[in-house]
Amino acid sequence: MNGAFSACYVIALQSFREQWKNRFFQLVAAFAVIALYFGLILREMAGDQQARVYAHFGLGLCELVGVASAIYLCSTAVIRDMETKNIYLLLSRPVPRWSYVAGKFLGLTASVMSAIACMGLAHAAFMLLRHYAVPSYFPAALVASCLKAAVIGALAMFVSLFSTSILSSVVMSFIFWTLGHFLSEARFIAHKLGGVSGAVLAPLLYAVPNISLFGVTDALDSSIPSFAGWPVLFGYCVLYCGACLALSTGLFSRKEF
Amino acid sequence: MARYLILAAALFVCAFAAGGTFRPAYPGISEIRPFSSSGGEDAAFLGLGLRKLGADINFIRLLQYYGSDEEPLSSSGGTPDVPPSGGFGYGGGVYSEFLPRLKHITSLDPYFKYAFLYGAGVLAFNLERPEDALAVLEEARRSMPDEWQFGKYMAAIGYKNAREPEKVADVLDSIVTQPGTPVMLKQQAAFLNKRIGRLKRAYEIYSDIAASSVEKNYVDNARRNMRALEKYAK
């Protein structure tokens, strides 16, 4: 069992390093330039609300880039390894399938989280340079974005293992992500539909991640606190990712290499 | 495969029990009051989890709309134009889209305090629509019952309707000392103080505007007034 965990760790580390060598530094640099540029525009447009607009813009951009990266990287992880034949080298050794799936996911998620952290730091630095007060919920919002990226990344990895192409996998994951913000409405519609459609739709919606749970900016930047609490957020993230990884391992173990 | 399915099902159930039924304290997509054809854009903002950024962008559009030339009288159904009361020659007029745009913003983010204060201030003091301003503030109080400024603001509008400028100035004075007060309100308070002869206080508020605002028009106007009131500063 120790060997399986150490294989998982090695795969995660390798995956993390690979991402930083490939494209993540470029992505972070691009973010820094975009944030600086938009900051200059917003300065002229937002009147007395420059700090608020700039904070929300930066946090939104961090999250979008992070989640989009998580979807893309996790959707292409296994396929890329198959194309480069790395997977044959790996699985010719006594590496359990779950170690490979979990290692890949952890490595990719760690690289996405580190990118979000770098972007957040750059954004905070720009805010301080412009003498804007960094909002108190800023670090919490970044952590929540990381958790959101992990949840959607796990889902994307699962979807990529049964979808027919990278594009369909990315599109499906994106749909689940946006649907995750409207879950209560979607459940209401399913309930109202009734009949066969409602009966089919309702249980499916229980498997869609409740992304609004991670809307920490909304929850903390309001007069009525609606924050679910960190234990709930972390617990939900771990359980949901675990469920997706279990399904991914199940599908992956049926593949023959 | 079966054991992974069972494990996944158990984990999904636990995840759902942990946070699956959570609902944020914000209006859902069906409760957003769209402006013009903003429905698709609103859905995109909410779907991407960028509700507050959506409210911010629409607030910038509101500022741009209110900063543009007022509508010709013919397009507003012949409503008589209202002379500007802001004290320095702009801000009044007919802006028929102002209230629907503001309602759209506050339905996206019902905790956007600045938008409520700014919108109610423009409606009450610049556009001479105190009833609309009171409705906006009532909505703000429902969203943020602990914010005392809204009640004070309503009192100021009441005094304005009763043509009691001293009392309006008193109430506005207690609001403009708070951080995050719209500069437009400070401008109004300074102008009222100047009009009723409280020149030292007017000078102080203009100084605050000149030191803290980033809006050039307001800063220029404040500096101009500070020069005129300089002898009353001490």
Side-chain angles (χ1 to χ4, degrees):
Chain A
M1 198 65 180
N2 270 348
F5 277 110
S6 100
C8 176
Y9 172 73
V10 170
I11 292 168
L13 196 64
Q14 171 60 25
S15 186
F16 178 78
R17 284 181 181 151
E18 191 187 333
Q19 290 315 314
W20 275 99
K21 278 180 195 163
N22 283 352
R23 60 178 75 87
F24 263 73
F25 272 117
Q26 293 97 314
L27 199 69
V28 171
F31 171 79
V33 174
I34 292 168
L36 187 63
Y37 179 68
F38 269 87
L40 290 170
I41 297 173
L42 291 172
R43 193 182 173 88
E44 298 303 321
M45 292 197 298
D48 277 351
Q49 290 295 285
Q50 288 179 8
R52 174 190 153 109
V53 174
Y54 193 48
H56 290 155
F57 167 77
L59 285 171
L61 195 58
C62 286
E63 186 170 304
L64 279 182
V65 172
V67 172
S69 308
I71 288 177
Y72 177 74
L73 292 176
C74 291
S75 295
T76 55
V78 178
I79 294 167
R80 209 172 44 243
D81 269 3
M82 284 164 72
E83 280 172 358
T84 56
K85 316 280 189 223
N86 278 348
I87 204 160
Y88 301 106
L89 283 173
L90 269 169
L91 296 180
S92 61
R93 293 156 193 270
V95 174
R97 299 284 172 110
W98 74 261
S99 301
Y100 173 77
V101 171
K104 269 281 160 195
F105 170 73
L106 290 174
L108 295 175
T109 308
S111 59
V112 169
M113 286 179 176
S114 57
I116 290 175
C118 289
M119 288 187 282
L121 281 175
H123 182 221
F126 286 138
M127 290 195 78
L128 292 172
L129 279 174
R130 288 167 195 279
H131 305 291
Y132 298 152
V134 178
S136 55
Y137 56 80
F138 190 87
L142 285 178
V143 173
S145 295
C146 290
L147 297 179
K148 213 185 256 193
V151 166
I152 209 70
L155 185 62
M157 186 169 259
F158 166 58
V159 171
S160 75
L161 287 168
F162 67 78
S163 64
T164 50
S165 68
I166 291 175
L167 183 66
S168 63
S169 161
V170 168
V171 169
M172 270 195 272
S173 305
F174 183 79
I175 290 169
F176 281 127
W177 175 33
T178 49
L179 189 59
H181 290 100
F182 302 120
L183 260 192
S184 44
E185 281 94 345
R187 283 188 190 132
F188 177 76
I189 291 167
H191 175 72
K192 283 285 170 191
L193 267 178
V196 179
S197 315
V200 171
L201 192 60
L204 283 177
L205 287 173
Y206 286 100
V208 175
N210 188 359
I211 299 292
S212 58
L213 183 69
F214 302 98
V216 170
T217 308
D218 292 353
L220 297 181
D221 189 16
S222 69
S223 301
I224 299 172
S226 61
F227 182 44
W230 289 114
V232 174
L233 261 66
F234 276 97
Y236 186 84
C237 179
V238 169
L239 290 166
Y240 195 89
C241 290
C244 288
L245 291 182
L247 287 174
S248 301
T249 308
L251 283 177
F252 190 64
S253 58
R254 287 164 68 94
K255 287 186 185 288
E256 286 181 10
F257 295 101
Chain B
M1 182 68 189
R3 64 185 170 145
Y4 289 116
L5 266 178
I6 293 165
L7 176 64
L11 289 170
F12 270 131
V13 169
C14 293
F16 182 77
T21 53
F22 173 84
R23 198 190 157 151
Y26 279 85
I29 181 76
S30 54
E31 296 161 87
I32 303 292
R33 284 170 291 195
F35 170 73
S36 186
S37 53
S38 69
E41 190 185 277
D42 295 341
F45 278 125
L46 266 61
L48 298 176
L50 302 173
R51 174 192 288 272
K52 284 194 180 276
L53 186 62
D56 293 346
I57 287 170
N58 281 290
F59 184 67
I60 290 173
R61 287 179 184 153
L62 178 77
L63 293 178
Q64 289 174 335
Y65 169 70
Y66 187 51
S68 63
D69 291 339
E70 65 183 79
E71 295 158 26
L73 287 178
S74 55
S75 72
S76 55
T79 311
D81 196 1
V82 180
S85 61
F88 54 102
Y90 69 89
V94 178
Y95 289 91
S96 58
E97 290 179 9
F98 190 90
L99 187 60
R101 283 176 185 267
L102 181 65
K103 282 184 173 174
H104 176 223
I105 295 163
T106 54
S107 67
L108 276 169
D109 182 3
Y111 308 105
F112 196 168
K113 186 177 156 190
Y114 188 96
F116 279 115
L117 286 174
Y118 174 84
V122 168
L123 287 166
F125 296 107
N126 290 1
L127 301 182
E128 304 293 342
R129 290 158 64 182
E131 296 305 319
D132 287 340
L134 288 172
V136 166
L137 289 169
E138 196 53 59
E139 189 189 322
R141 284 221 298 195
R142 277 199 297 275
S143 299
M144 293 166 272
D146 295 337
E147 295 287 350
W148 56 269
Q149 282 122 310
F150 297 127
K152 289 261 189 185
Y153 214 165
M154 291 170 102
I157 294 168
Y159 287 133
K160 183 180 181 290
N161 285 348
R163 298 185 187 282
E164 295 187 70
E166 287 88 0
K167 287 186 175 170
V168 178
D170 287 341
V171 177
L172 287 184
D173 231 24
S174 63
I175 300 173
V176 297
T177 51
Q178 299 301 310
T181 305
V183 65
M184 186 273 304
L185 260 192
K186 293 182 182 178
Q187 161 70 33
Q188 193 68 37
F191 172 72
L192 271 175
N193 275 297
K194 192 171 90 171
R195 207 174 71 177
I196 60 176
R198 295 178 189 168
L199 302 176
K200 185 171 183 291
R201 183 63 190 136
Y203 181 87
E204 286 166 0
I205 300 174
Y206 281 126
S207 309
D208 178 37
I209 294 171
S212 61
S213 180
V214 292
E215 293 195 48
K216 192 175 176 298
N217 288 334
Y218 285 106
V219 172
D220 289 347
N221 178 64
R223 289 195 179 131
R224 202 166 45 245
N225 276 285
M226 280 168 71
R227 278 196 296 277
L229 299 171
E230 205 152 23
K231 59 184 171 189
Y232 305 103
K234 289 178 184 172

